[in-house]
Amino acid sequence: MKGKLYAIGLGPGGEDNMTIRARRCIEGCDVLVGYSVYIDQIEPFCSGKTLIRNGMGQEKDRCREAIRQAREGRTVGMVCSGDAGLYGMAGLILELVELEKLQEEVAVEVIPGITSAVSCSALLGAPIVEDFCTISLSDYMIDWEKIRHRIRMAAEGDFTIAFYNPRSQARPDYLKEALQLIEQYRGGDTPVGVVRNAYREGQQVRTTTLEMLDDTSVDMFCTVIIGNSKSRLCGGKIVTARGYAL
Amino acid sequence: MKGKLYAIGLGPGGEDNMTIRARRCIEGCDVLVGYSVYIDQIEPFCSGKTLIRNGMGQEKDRCREAIRQAREGRTVGMVCSGDAGLYGMAGLILELVELEKLQEEVAVEVIPGITSAVSCSALLGAPIVEDFCTISLSDYMIDWEKIRHRIRMAAEGDFTIAFYNPRSQARPDYLKEALQLIEQYRGGDTPVGVVRNAYREGQQVRTTTLEMLDDTSVDMFCTVIIGNSKSRLCGGKIVTARGYAL
């Protein structure tokens, strides 16, 4: 092996929500690569290391650069917000390493992190306590028809649902449509939680219901969690009953 | 407020996979309560603290004891493996605090942790990279019929699926039945990952396919991840394509 490439999940927000292992792993890297916001976030404890930032939409370039650095014998960390795999870069790195037949040159290891569904659930109380799913409302890589189908299946299956990338200027109506689809299966009083800038400056945590949620108040910095049939609002929090007899 | 009660997710296995915040939070507690295995796990850095262990199936007693300790003015941590909410104790604690009208006496805060789906996905490569769901195959609190329905919806929705509590002596045939349900929607060559004792001594990581998996090789110490239509086996790992044009 020439080099080592870690895909590292930072968890949400600041350093606190990173695992001890992720922190130690970053400390052992020569080079850190990532979307500029995440590199800024780890910069305070990365003095002396090479930091490579790039922008949104440049995921392939970012992964190729990380692989190139590792091929030159360096220990490289690709940092991702939340988890390294889920809506992160671990998969793309493994795909590129295989495509370029570099499995003998670059050892890839994935360091998991706390994903947004779970970290936002904690801020809302306990909406996610049993079977749940995540659905990204971005149609950048998946057809909106397929996303709609998944929403229907998740709603019919009574999963608690966490929406990632819930609403952007490029697709302002998807969240509204998603909520309407869910209302075909769940009552308008179903609890909904919206967390904006989780564990960051300006964090906002709101609870409401399916029928009361103003979808235009949601943007790309939000995660939206839709309760299931056993969820209820409880003193400003959302709690889903596991089913213990109390 | 008289006391503070943290529901703390430890993540998988040892101390390394705990967040920095979870570790700091435990250090600030007077009393730690939990299932005996998890208390054993944190004991090395808990000298001088009161440690309260109890057994499987005693979840209500455990939460009531934690609440009682907090009402006496102590700072209490209820430790959970993986996340504190998902298949954890945070929901039950909030339900009991509400039921006993103790919201003014006990402040509850949830400290998230890395759940098994995400941590096992990292060990398998990158099977979970986009929309996925978790399903527990334990029928302790949910009817098997409802679980079956969820499996069908998850399979039809092309979600990557993580099975928790996949098989026990009390219900030896559920996993087999679950796999058969999924085969109605996905090919027999769909990648399957099985992780046993993740991040613990004796960790085992295996990849196979829907048709090749011997369900009897799976027990309660395992998490099983079923790929979706974009997953494939790739040099001993499972990788799900996000959809980048390569």
Side-chain angles (χ1 to χ4, degrees), chain A residues 52-63:
Chain A
I52 302 175
R53 299 165 160 82
N54 75 2
M56 192 78 88
Q58 300 178 283
E59 289 80 8
K60 274 189 288 184
D61 291 346
R62 196 182 302 156
C63 290

Side-chain angles (χ1 to χ4, degrees), chain A residues 136 141 145:
Chain A
S136 166
M141 286 184 293
E145 246 338 290

